[in-house]
Amino acid sequence: MGRHSLPDSHAAEGRRGHPSTRRRTVAIATLLVLAVATGTAVAAKGGLLSFSESCEDSAVRLSVVASPDIAPAVRSIAEQARADEVKADGHCLVVEVLARDAHKVAEALAAGDTEPDFQVWLPDSDLWLERAKGLGEGIPVSPSDSVASSPVALAMVPSASRALGWPRKTYTWAELVAGALGSDRVRLGAADPARSATGLLALAGIGASSARQGGDSDTRVAQTAKVLAERMSDGDTQVLETLARSTSGAEEGNPKRNQAALISEQAAFTHNAEATGAGKLDLFYPEDGTPLLDYPYTLVNEARLSTAESRAALRFMNLLGDRDAQATFAEHGFRAGDGSAEDSLVAAAGGRKPQPYAEPAVEAPSDEELQETLGMWTITVQSARLTTVVDASGSMATLVPGRNQSRMNVTKESLIQALDQFTPDDEIGLWKFATTLDGEKDYRRLMETKRLGDPAAGGGTHREKLTAAFAALQPVPGGATGLYDTTLASYKEARSTYVKGKFNALVILTDGSNQDTDGISRSGLVTELKKLVDPERPVPVIAIAVGPDADRDEVAEIARITGGDGYEVSDPAEIQAVILQAIMAAGQNGRAAEE
């Protein structure tokens, strides 16, 4: 049988952008191998490898939490290992496999509130590892290499795929999605990129493909996101359930049924195994490359694992890589970790020549690009209402090392660039602050929080006026940081002007700690914010500490009271990416509170 290797950077060298992670896991594996080798030698001398003793009496138990799509295959391998009395360092290996959504596991690990009840995590993508790290205060994870993989593709029911010329006609990601959305007969479904690696990787692929086309790619991607959001499902399983199951008039005419969906090859494989006739799916593999779900084998809180658990974890990882286990993965529709697959797997999933392709793909999206994509999704799908509060104290005139620009100038440039990520429906306003800036007040409202697309007095749009207001910001000579009074006043206004159905937030940028000794105290601010916070009208504070003099811990503590968080940037040029990341994180917190 032939083998296919999709055009993705994973196939040749693993996901780019994570060399330090891979080096670390090699070290972990080496240490564990030495530990197992030493332990096995001792056990052999002591007669502990006798196969006559009861497995139950000598068993070492391992709990593995796996993404729901791969959990059945992993469970099958674990059950076979138990039946074969596979041993780890002389102890029978008993592995319990639990299916849990990767986004929920990542959020729990990032929170770090409770000790996890499992030793190994097998998410569907390494993007969740970054999410699990959070702000570095959660449960540590130690990833190793992929045990399996599955490319992200666009699946269609036969009537829709034939209309687009499948399999002879080929498309880039941008062309394929545009072609699907341009047909009145094709309804395209996708999983929420905030909860689905498939959805996020597909959206990132669409964005990168659109950028290569040139022109106003941001607008095209935002429009695509808006359309996808209208038919968005919570997860990958739910997306499959929306697809038409037959060519009957009732099925194809049902507005709740989709004719196309962004899913993994493995999901299409599983769907086709259960479907019949016209209910089976065809797969488009975009010619500019498709990312892989890569299923990294990950130790959780490695330091607290016992020696027996560490050895058992390594033994099971090696077991998942052997020939029999790889055959089991293939039976469930998964490729090898390097992205290669037999022709039969591709055909069963709905792929036909001339697809998939063998040419090298563009580089996989970095963690920063994925964060920006997710931030874009959040503010595009749920229009944002943000009040931006900028520190104008004298210290903002300090030069940024290596840039020959002041903190204020770099901050202004970053804010203006960030505006490009927002749509005309988003609402943004501007305040500035320094001590006694406006009489006894430390703050002044410069631009009302309103739609960027609204006409402005004297001509132009609110976006244009806001851009000019950002550009005109200047440090106040001798002005100090009136942080507490400003935070309270701006939060009160954002709270009182809350707009339902939008993502409401307060973005505060400061390069220092509060210096207004005549204003409200820190404890007083905390007390007032606790009184004002309303779960029914959430307004998270996104506090960004700019430069080495800012106290991130202080602003983070204040922000967390409101459901937001604090961030630190050494270079103000990072503000744009941090705002998108912060919006995404606050949006996730809001969804978690609703569930």
Side-chain angles (χ1 to χ4, degrees), residues 7-19:
D8 188 88
S9 56
H10 295 66
E13 57 191 81
R15 181 168 174 188
R16 294 190 177 111
H18 295 273

Side-chain angles (χ1 to χ4, degrees), residues 219-445:
T219 298
R220 289 199 301 271
V221 175
Q223 290 171 341
T224 300
K226 284 284 190 185
V227 174
L228 290 177
E230 294 174 0
R231 307 193 69 80
M232 183 181 69
S233 299
D234 283 346
D236 301 324
T237 301
Q238 291 82 355
V239 172
L240 285 168
E241 293 171 352
T242 69
L243 289 166
R245 297 281 175 165
S246 71
T247 57
S248 69
E251 277 289 283
E252 292 204 338
N254 186 343
K256 294 184 178 180
R257 290 294 190 192
N258 293 319
Q259 287 76 45
L262 295 164
I263 60 175
S264 70
E265 181 185 72
Q266 190 276 335
F269 178 99
T270 301
H271 176 95
N272 286 348
E274 300 172 355
T276 58
K280 291 183 179 291
L281 300 172
D282 298 325
L283 278 188
F284 281 94
Y285 299 83
E287 62 184 350
D288 50 353
T290 181
L292 288 175
L293 299 177
D294 57 357
Y295 305 92
Y297 190 88
T298 306
L299 298 183
V300 178
N301 205 353
E302 178 192 0
R304 60 114 185 181
L305 300 184
S306 67
T307 300
E309 288 173 334
S310 294
R311 293 170 178 171
L314 177 64
R315 181 70 179 94
F316 191 59
M317 181 181 73
N318 291 336
L319 190 66
L320 293 178
D322 72 19
R323 181 177 300 177
D324 289 342
Q326 288 298 302
T328 299
F329 282 131
E331 290 169 2
H332 284 77
F334 291 97
R335 292 175 173 239
D338 64 1
S340 61
E342 298 288 348
D343 287 341
S344 57
L345 188 156
V346 175
R352 297 290 189 279
K353 291 182 179 180
Q355 306 183 59
Y357 302 91
E359 293 81 8
V362 295
E363 186 171 342
S366 66
D367 295 321
E368 292 76 15
E369 290 168 335
L370 289 173
Q371 290 281 15
E372 290 192 17
T373 298
L374 195 47
M376 179 276 296
W377 168 264
T378 302
I379 63 178
T380 300
V381 172
Q382 184 183 21
S383 294
R385 178 177 170 80
L386 307 177
T387 300
T388 310
V389 184
V390 181
D391 188 346
S393 60
S395 57
M396 288 292 282
T398 304
L399 292 180
V400 176
R403 282 188 172 270
N404 199 30
Q405 287 180 290
S406 69
R407 292 175 184 170
M408 179 62 86
N409 285 338
V410 179
T411 297
K412 292 189 301 185
E413 290 179 5
S414 192
L415 288 172
I416 291 171
Q417 290 173 3
L419 269 184
D420 292 337
Q421 302 291 329
F422 294 87
T423 71
D425 288 330
D426 294 315
E427 302 179 18
I428 301 181
L430 174 62
W431 289 34
K432 71 174 182 178
F433 69 98
T435 49
T436 59
L437 183 65
D438 186 6
E440 295 299 316
K441 295 179 180 178
D442 293 337
Y443 47 84
R444 179 182 296 153
R445 186 179 70 184

Side-chain angles (χ1 to χ4, degrees), residues 467-500:
T467 299
F470 280 143
L473 286 170
Q474 295 294 333
V476 177
T481 307
L483 179 62
Y484 295 164
D485 282 353
T486 302
T487 299
L488 181 59
S490 56
Y491 189 83
K492 283 182 176 178
E493 176 164 299
R495 169 76 172 70
S496 65
T497 58
Y498 178 90
V499 176
K500 188 175 182 180

